[in-house]
Amino acid sequence: MADEQDKLLPIANVGRIMKHILPPSAKISKEAKETMQECASEFISFVTGEASDKCHKENRKTVNGDDICWALSALGFDDYAEATVSHDHGHVNRRLHHSRHENVLELVS
Amino acid sequence: MRQAGTYSGILSGGISGRTGPHSLPLARIKKIMKKSNDDVKMISGEAPIVLSKACELFIEELTKKSWMMTMQGKRRTLHKEDVASAVIGTDIFDFLVNLVENKQAGFDGRPSSSGGALQSGEKAVDRGKRVTDWRWVLARLY
């Protein structure tokens, strides 16, 4: 059982991120959090696999941050790739974080 | 750990890579990276940090889309069926379709958390639980 949990992110952390993006009155079932845990692990594997393939083709042994960024873009997660590269030492991250809060308010109204 | 330049934004923007309100444990991320990819031998210091941020954004996006399904059903509790619907309805989440479909069919390998997974064809209502089966089916038609 401990071995299985090693493949997943802690449910508390996952639950916190979910809760933060939802309206205060929203509830999340335990199974939904568990499903999200599994999806997150799958996401990590998916992106890592793509990054690793790139390294392999370029005869490099170490997967670095640029490879992850590249993989994110290649797999359709351009927003995430942009958010992880700071052009402005944090301003990009703050702006994207703010815009996601706006999206949450739109959902509620 | 000194990380100048490209990824300094993540480090100086409140997500230190170790602490912070929504950070994910880097060691665990590294484990997941290695466990499911045999080819991955060496991982640089900043790779788990970048993935941690990406993962957080991923969870946020999937949660928001799942919540839209919840609201369509006029409910206030987000269920795993809503996550499944969101996955099926979003192109970039195609890589998750097998995962959520296997969970619906009862093939998830997790230790039983709620009396065992549903068997193929069995509906949640048979277990006395609230059912969103038909909504999940409808979502697949989009």
Side-chain angles (χ1 to χ4, degrees):
Chain A
M1 177 119 57
D3 193 50
E4 268 221 26
Q5 289 304 312
D6 267 0
K7 292 189 194 141
L8 301 172
L9 297 171
I11 198 166
N13 298 56
V14 171
R16 225 176 291 137
I17 296 171
M18 293 175 80
K19 197 161 178 245
H20 181 255
I21 206 75
L22 293 176
S25 59
K27 289 185 164 47
I28 309 169
S29 80
K30 183 163 178 263
E31 280 183 332
K33 287 186 208 172
E34 288 170 351
T35 302
M36 192 61 71
Q37 271 183 298
E38 292 173 30
C39 289
S41 286
E42 199 68 27
F43 172 76
I44 291 169
S45 295
F46 188 47
V47 174
T48 303
E50 199 71 14
S52 167
D53 280 351
K54 182 175 197 274
C55 286
H56 193 68
K57 285 190 185 116
E58 296 173 5
N59 288 319
R60 283 184 291 111
K61 285 189 188 154
T62 308
V63 177
N64 63 36
D66 281 343
D67 298 323
I68 301 294
C69 259
W70 178 89
L72 288 168
S73 275
L75 295 169
F77 302 105
D78 304 282
D79 292 350
Y80 308 174
E82 279 176 33
T84 55
V85 176
S86 167
H87 304 292
D88 217 31
H89 297 287
H91 287 174
V92 171
N93 288 335
R94 280 197 289 278
R95 181 164 50 77
L96 281 167
H97 191 65
H98 181 62
S99 73
R100 283 179 198 280
H101 275 296
E102 284 172 357
N103 288 341
V104 172
L105 290 173
E106 278 167 32
L107 283 174
V108 170
S109 60
Chain B
M1 184 166 37
R2 219 176 309 133
Q3 303 286 344
T6 319
Y7 302 107
S8 60
I10 305 173
L11 300 173
S12 62
I15 301 185
S16 69
R18 198 174 327 166
T19 58
H22 308 299
S23 66
L24 295 161
L26 298 181
R28 188 73 63 89
I29 289 180
K30 208 167 168 178
K31 250 187 220 168
I32 298 169
M33 287 172 83
K34 286 196 155 162
K35 259 198 176 173
S36 28
N37 290 280
D38 285 337
D39 294 340
V40 175
K41 301 275 186 299
M42 298 190 65
I43 300 172
S44 76
E46 81 266 11
I49 296 175
V50 177
L51 251 185
S52 157
K53 179 68 182 171
C55 212
E56 192 182 318
L57 296 172
F58 164 77
I59 293 170
E60 287 181 349
E61 183 168 4
L62 182 51
T63 301
K64 277 197 291 182
K65 291 203 147 78
S66 305
W67 180 247
M68 285 164 69
M69 301 294 160
T70 312
M71 287 202 299
Q72 276 181 31
K74 294 188 168 53
R75 288 173 281 108
R76 300 298 289 182
T77 303
L78 200 160
H79 285 290
K80 73 169 168 31
E81 288 81 7
D82 300 318
V83 180
S85 302
V87 161
I88 289 161
T90 310
D91 281 343
I92 54 169
F93 294 154
D94 274 354
F95 70 98
L96 295 169
V97 167
N98 284 338
L99 191 153
V100 297
E101 283 187 343
N102 285 342
K103 282 182 79 69
Q104 293 291 126
F107 292 133
D108 61 345
R110 299 182 68 107
S112 148
S113 53
S114 49
L118 294 174
Q119 297 308 307
S120 182
E122 183 181 338
K123 289 202 198 314
V125 71
D126 295 343
R127 299 270 186 104
K129 281 158 72 173
R130 224 155 24 130
V131 66
T132 52
D133 243 54
W134 62 270
R135 287 190 194 88
W136 179 78
V137 169
L138 275 180
R140 298 191 71 182
L141 299 174
Y142 292 150

